[in-house]
Amino acid sequence: MEQVNSEQVFQEKIAGAKPTIAIFKTTWCKDCHFIDPFMPEVVEAYKDRLEFIQLDRDEVPDLCEKLNILGIPSFIAFREGQELVRFVSKLRKTRDEIEQFLDRALEVSDALKK
């Protein structure tokens, strides 16, 4: 998963026709570390259909303010620069919940193509 450290690179990454999942985390977030062990497998399972980028909320505070990123980890799906759907909650996120979100992102993306 590519680490993105600037708003300019973020905008470039989310501009493509392939849906991009932006994952906002921080180094000090326990719930962010909770997902670390299984995320590589999740990314591998979806890599043909989705792009993944990761951002440290502390490195891009202005972007996070624009996107209203309050809780972390936060997941937002984009395609062609437009937000499709987001998964934000105060609760710890499980692998099943993340995969359900990714499936939903694909559904929304496909529906908008028609």
Side-chain angles (χ1 to χ4, degrees):
M1 184 171 357
E2 184 175 349
Q3 184 73 34
V4 173
N5 300 316
S6 75
E7 185 171 345
Q8 179 182 349
V9 173
F10 169 78
Q11 295 297 340
E12 292 168 7
K13 294 292 180 185
I14 67 167
K18 188 175 182 180
T20 299
I21 306 300
I23 305 170
F24 294 85
K25 300 169 66 178
T26 65
T27 56
W28 49 264
C29 165
K30 289 181 181 172
D31 288 342
C32 298
H33 291 293
F34 175 78
I35 69 173
D36 284 344
F38 60 79
M39 278 309 294
E41 292 173 15
V42 172
V43 169
E44 181 67 24
Y46 285 85
K47 72 178 182 181
D48 294 337
R49 297 170 287 162
L50 297 168
E51 298 288 340
F52 290 86
I53 58 173
Q54 184 170 292
L55 298 96
D56 185 318
R57 195 181 91 174
D58 293 340
E59 291 179 4
V60 286
D62 293 341
L63 175 62
C64 289
E65 188 174 322
K66 286 180 195 174
L67 294 173
N68 200 27
I69 303 294
L70 302 173
I72 47 173
S74 289
F75 295 75
I76 305 179
F78 294 91
R79 194 183 88 226
E80 296 172 350
Q82 299 297 312
E83 181 177 329
L84 301 174
V85 63
R86 63 172 60 200
F87 178 30
V88 181
S89 72
K90 292 182 181 179
L91 304 175
R92 178 173 276 180
K93 292 155 184 70
T94 66
R95 180 176 181 157
D96 282 345
E97 290 171 328
I98 292 168
E99 289 176 345
Q100 287 172 17
F101 163 75
L102 298 175
D103 291 339
R104 177 75 181 130
L106 288 166
E107 287 174 21
V108 171
S109 179
D110 289 345
L112 291 174
K113 285 181 190 173
K114 296 174 182 168

